[in-house]
Amino acid sequence: MTAFKHTVALAALLAGVAGTASAQVAYTGAVNLGYADIDGDTDATNLTTDFDANIAFNSGFELDLGLSMNRVDVDEVPFDLHMDRASIAPKYNFSNGLTAGLYVEKSELSIGEDVDMLSYGLNGEYAIAGATFGAFYGETDIDGLDDDTTDWGLNATYAMGETLAVAGGFARTEVDAFGEDLDLDLWKLGAAYDFGNNITVFAGASWGDFEGMDVDTWGLGASYHASAYTPIPVIASIEYAETDADMLGDLDVWRFGVTLPFGNKGTASAPLNSVAGSAFNQSPNTISDALV
């Protein structure tokens, strides 16, 4: 976890430096605590903690921060599986709809043995009339693999006022290993609709392909904003999802979550631990994104 502590410390430092030059700060984000029960050819339980935030300063400087901790307890497997990720993406908003910057993401995967991955590169966005189009290009360094790994992807979101939000994206990781070119492709689609009365419905799907091995997932859920009954903003959510994976078989998943939103209210949104939420928060590391 040392790498994660360093990443969070760096994020705090950058935010503090930018804050000294800007008296006005706009921020939005959420913390999500999740639990999932997984049934099928493989039975398991899943505990997740997710954090996502955007900090925008009136100088045009922005900072995206992310943190994800994922623990899986699989029946008849003598060890826990985990995937931890931390990301930071400083960028500059040119006030004409264009935003450009850098990203760094550190991932730690443990499946009996630990594997560290470091992703870094360039990203950019263009916003117009409620729609945002984005792209990224970079590399991922994987412990124990000296060959080249290239990441690139495209994504888009559309918001209709504060009621409807839609997101979609495509990402590819190209691995040149053992004398062969291996591609991992991941498609995502998600939507959230605010019905009013503190109720939001969300749905999402993803399609992954790694050299002919497919992993297809869809999910449907709802959330309730319990602010009328709690002293702090709390959103409770439930989702049912199905996954068809060539290596794992069919999986039925019930997810439960508690979200603590903060900052400026945005459009309708999906919980970070949902299939739809994954579509709204694309990772530049397709390998870790597909595993999560």
Side-chain angles (χ1 to χ4, degrees):
M1 295 297 294
T2 302
F4 289 91
K5 294 178 181 178
H6 289 170
T7 303
V8 173
L10 177 59
L13 176 61
L14 290 174
V17 171
T20 60
S22 174
Q24 297 181 5
V25 179
Y27 60 93
T28 185
V31 177
N32 176 274
L33 304 177
Y35 170 83
D37 182 73
I38 305 169
D39 295 318
D41 297 337
T42 302
D43 294 335
T45 56
N46 183 206
L47 294 175
T48 58
T49 302
D50 295 286
F51 167 81
D52 184 73
N54 171 267
I55 305 172
F57 304 89
N58 63 3
S59 61
F61 176 80
E62 294 187 24
L63 195 63
D64 289 336
L65 302 173
L67 179 64
S68 173
M69 293 180 286
N70 199 312
R71 297 291 184 273
V72 182
D73 182 8
V74 184
D75 289 356
E76 300 180 359
V77 174
F79 52 84
D80 289 342
L81 314 180
H82 76 251
M83 167 68 79
D84 296 331
R85 299 187 294 179
S87 63
I88 180 172
K91 56 188 180 180
Y92 186 79
N93 189 328
F94 291 92
S95 300
N96 60 356
L98 179 64
T99 302
L102 313 170
Y103 71 83
V104 178
E105 179 179 291
K106 176 70 174 180
S107 302
E108 297 177 354
L109 168 66
S110 176
I111 307 180
E113 296 184 1
D114 294 338
V115 177
D116 291 340
M117 295 179 283
L118 179 65
S119 302
Y120 50 90
L122 306 174
N123 60 12
E125 294 178 343
Y126 182 72
I128 182 172
T132 301
F133 304 93
F136 68 87
Y137 182 87
E139 297 182 0
T140 294
D141 295 335
I142 304 175
D143 277 2
L145 183 66
D146 296 329
D147 300 288
D148 295 333
T149 301
T150 302
D151 307 306
W152 63 271
L154 304 170
N155 55 76
T157 60
Y158 177 73
M160 184 179 294
E162 297 182 354
T163 303
L164 174 67
V166 181
F170 169 78
R172 166 174 287 186
T173 290
E174 301 172 350
V175 183
D176 181 9
F178 313 112
E180 295 186 16
D181 294 329
L182 307 175
D183 294 336
L184 173 60
D185 295 338
L186 188 61
W187 295 86
K188 292 184 178 184
L189 183 64
Y193 184 82
D194 187 344
F195 278 94
N197 297 320
N198 296 322
I199 297 176
T200 298
V201 173
F202 50 89
S206 66
W207 303 268
D209 176 71
F210 180 66
E211 297 298 324
M213 292 187 294
D214 296 332
V215 180
D216 301 330
T217 298
W218 67 268
L220 177 65
S223 63
Y224 180 75
H225 203 305
S227 56
Y229 308 99
T230 58
I232 59 175
V234 175
I235 302 174
S237 61
I238 183 172
E239 179 190 43
Y240 173 74
E242 289 187 1
T243 293
D244 180 10
D246 287 346
M247 297 182 64
L248 299 176
D250 296 335
L251 304 175
D252 298 322
V253 183
W254 283 99
R255 286 192 184 91
F256 306 90
V258 176
T259 299
L260 305 176
F262 56 87
N264 302 323
K265 184 182 185 304
T267 60
S269 60
L272 294 172
N273 69 324
S274 65
V275 180
S278 177
F280 284 93
N281 295 275
Q282 184 183 49
S283 168
N285 184 337
T286 309
I287 298 174
S288 66
D289 216 17
L291 289 171
V292 171

